[in-house]
Amino acid sequence: MVDILTASSAHAGSIQILLQQLGYQCEVAEIISAIDTPDANSDLFVAINHGEVVGFMSLIYFFYFPLQKRNCRITALVVDEHARSTGVGKKLINHALGQAKKLSCAQLEVTTSLAREATQAYYERVGFIKSSFRYYLDVGI
């Protein structure tokens, strides 16, 4: 059985490995700092199966001006490559949906790379609607 827990600094090494599977290089110390710095507008969760971290998800909560309501965004969601297609991703998404409802968010949204076509198809299969493109500019920091 998979449990969804609030991430702690004890999970930092596992989170680092999961983020590497997404293509992000983070130091464990940076992850610990992020976990240990409380932010009322974000949450970090891990999926645990038989004592092992098999998934990770980060959420942010923000006021979305056009709707005049709060939204919840999944900013990272990764399931260990050996635990995919076992329901862990769906369980994380359902947890995010519960958080969004609990915090009176109007929408739950997720972003993913254009290159991750299988991930996009997965999000659509579980009910997300593709509604926009995300653009960004590097600030240089």
Side-chain angles (χ1 to χ4, degrees), residues 3 30 42 100 135:
D3 294 311
E30 293 172 314
S42 69
Y135 296 90

Side-chain angles (χ1 to χ4, degrees), residues 11-110:
H11 302 123
S14 297
I15 292 169
Q16 179 191 42
I17 292 166
L18 291 170
L19 288 173
Q20 287 173 345
Q21 290 180 19
L22 281 182
Y24 295 102
Q25 301 302 317
C26 299
E27 298 296 324
V28 170
E30 293 172 314
I31 295 168
I32 291 171
S33 177
I35 290 170
D36 290 346
T37 305
D39 181 351
N41 295 312
S42 69
D43 280 314
L44 305 170
F45 297 101
V46 289
I48 306 288
N49 188 20
H50 300 304
E52 299 293 322
V53 175
V54 294
F56 167 74
M57 176 177 66
S58 61
L59 303 176
I60 60 169
Y61 314 101
F62 61 98
F63 183 75
Y64 186 60
F65 191 84
L67 288 179
Q68 291 293 297
K69 297 187 182 199
R70 197 170 194 203
N71 268 5
C72 176
R73 178 180 294 157
I74 298 170
T75 59
L77 190 156
V78 60
V79 174
D80 184 85
E81 58 195 5
H82 303 303
R84 293 181 187 155
S85 298
T86 64
V88 174
K90 183 68 173 159
K91 189 148 188 174
L92 284 163
I93 290 168
N94 285 339
H95 190 79
L97 189 57
Q99 288 294 111
K101 288 177 181 178
K102 182 173 93 174
L103 295 172
S104 300
C105 295
Q107 296 177 333
L108 173 63
E109 58 182 55
V110 64

